[in-house]
Amino acid sequence: MDLFDRFVHANPLPNSGAGFPAFNIWTDEDGAVLTSELPGVAIADLDITVTGRRITLKGSRALPEAGAKFERARRERPEGSFERTFQLPYAIESGRVHAKLADGILEVVLPRAENDKPRKVSINGK
Amino acid sequence: MNAEEKIDFENAPATAAAAPSSESDTRAMPDNWFDDMPRRAYIPAVDLIDSDSEVLLIADVPGVPEGGVDLSIEKNILTLTATPSDGVIAGKKLEYSEYGVGEYRRSFSLSEEVDKDRISATLKDGVLRVRLPKTAPVTKKISVATA
């Protein structure tokens, strides 16, 4: 086994050190966008719930070829069901959450709740 | 011996496809030598399904749009390169990151039985499927002459 092979075997999923699926979180003052790598996952197999500060992503990935009569000579792609919860530092406006799935990337827009946003206090002079 | 060797479909050394061949390249190091060096790339997770008629290679390449995959064969090395969209959310800052976005690259050495002219591939929802049909085995009858 050469170095390359050893690397591959030690890190079959180098992109998902924190569990499947891996998350990236993008933010600004209006809220957050969660992106996640979900190759081969259908929209019908995904369930997203938002409660307070938390977003939970549930789903499953079926590998259509898994049940085939063929021998799987190499097996690195994760399969089966998954569930991950991520907590943001602020409340999410659940009514305005929307998501899209394209090319195996999920994108969930999580607007910050209006009443949770920092408010500028105006000071009245005399 | 590992499993890939059994089916003659193994990972080539990481540098096999990208490294300049040492036997033919004896010129002085050009100024742009580093441009030819393999860049940092992500290794896609792969399943291989072997049957009598073909080998099916399935690779996870999330974020790669239609037209973003390049498959090339040089000698017996199949190299898969796939370029994802940048994954950047405009106007927002990456606050927390569990995955990086960049080119996927992986090489495989093909067995003699793969028919290189009939390889086909499809990309859907970030999953690449490459079909590698096998050529029908040729049986050759050798007659034995009697003395």
Side-chain angles (χ1 to χ4, degrees):
Chain A
M1 215 183 257
D2 62 20
L3 185 67
F4 179 71
D5 249 324
R6 256 183 287 142
F7 175 75
V8 168
H9 285 270
N11 303 281
L13 294 166
N15 288 356
S16 58
F20 185 87
F23 289 168
N24 276 357
I25 309 283
W26 301 76
T27 59
D28 66 5
E29 62 273 17
D30 293 327
V33 174
L34 179 153
T35 60
S36 185
E37 294 189 318
L38 289 167
V41 175
I43 292 173
D45 295 328
L46 261 185
D47 185 35
I48 303 168
T49 49
V50 172
T51 318
R53 300 173 165 206
R54 287 161 177 253
I55 169 169
T56 299
L57 190 64
K58 256 192 252 187
S60 63
R61 178 159 97 146
L63 302 179
E65 290 86 0
K69 54 190 181 294
F70 309 133
E71 181 193 352
R72 261 218 280 181
R74 182 180 266 273
R75 184 189 179 123
E76 297 170 356
R77 303 165 64 233
E79 65 176 307
S81 55
F82 54 85
E83 177 173 346
R84 284 197 74 189
T85 295
F86 194 89
Q87 182 166 317
L88 291 176
Y90 49 76
I92 301 159
E93 186 81 60
S94 58
R96 290 198 294 132
V97 172
H98 56 99
K100 68 171 181 180
L101 183 63
D103 298 330
I105 301 283
L106 175 74
E107 197 177 301
V108 190
V109 178
L110 302 160
R112 183 170 187 171
E114 279 304 323
N115 59 11
D116 190 78
K117 281 186 182 173
R119 225 160 301 169
K120 204 176 171 89
V121 178
S122 56
I123 303 164
N124 296 317
K126 274 188 182 170
Chain B
M1 285 291 120
N2 54 29
E4 309 89 88
E5 283 175 4
K6 201 177 75 200
I7 61 152
D8 286 320
F9 198 95
E10 63 186 307
N11 279 297
T15 52
S21 82
S22 52
E23 66 233 55
S24 61
D25 198 359
T26 50
R27 293 163 294 153
M29 191 188 290
D31 290 342
N32 63 346
W33 193 72
F34 285 100
D35 294 347
D36 297 331
M37 292 288 282
R39 277 164 296 148
R40 182 192 159 89
Y42 292 92
I43 302 163
V46 161
D47 284 348
L48 291 175
I49 297 165
D50 195 21
S51 72
D52 291 340
S53 59
E54 66 174 13
V55 174
L56 176 61
L57 186 161
I58 310 170
D60 283 341
V61 289
V64 175
E66 206 187 315
V69 176
D70 184 72
L71 288 167
S72 65
I73 300 170
E74 198 183 334
K75 289 175 185 159
N76 261 354
I77 307 288
L78 171 76
T79 300
L80 145 67
T81 313
T83 312
S85 340
D86 64 11
V88 170
I89 303 297
K92 286 186 159 53
K93 178 176 151 251
L94 184 59
E95 187 80 38
Y96 170 82
S97 178
E98 292 176 350
Y99 67 90
V101 175
E103 194 176 84
Y104 299 97
R105 198 185 308 133
R106 196 159 175 181
S107 294
F108 306 87
S109 71
L110 302 177
S111 80
E112 289 299 323
E113 54 181 359
V114 169
D115 183 348
K116 296 189 196 77
D117 297 327
R118 289 195 297 136
I119 294 173
S120 63
T122 56
L123 175 69
K124 188 175 180 282
D125 300 333
V127 178
L128 175 73
R129 283 181 172 77
V130 185
R131 293 192 177 277
L132 305 149
K134 294 179 183 176
T135 47
V138 180
T139 312
K140 197 176 176 188
K141 203 167 180 141
I142 298 161
S143 56
V144 178
T146 43

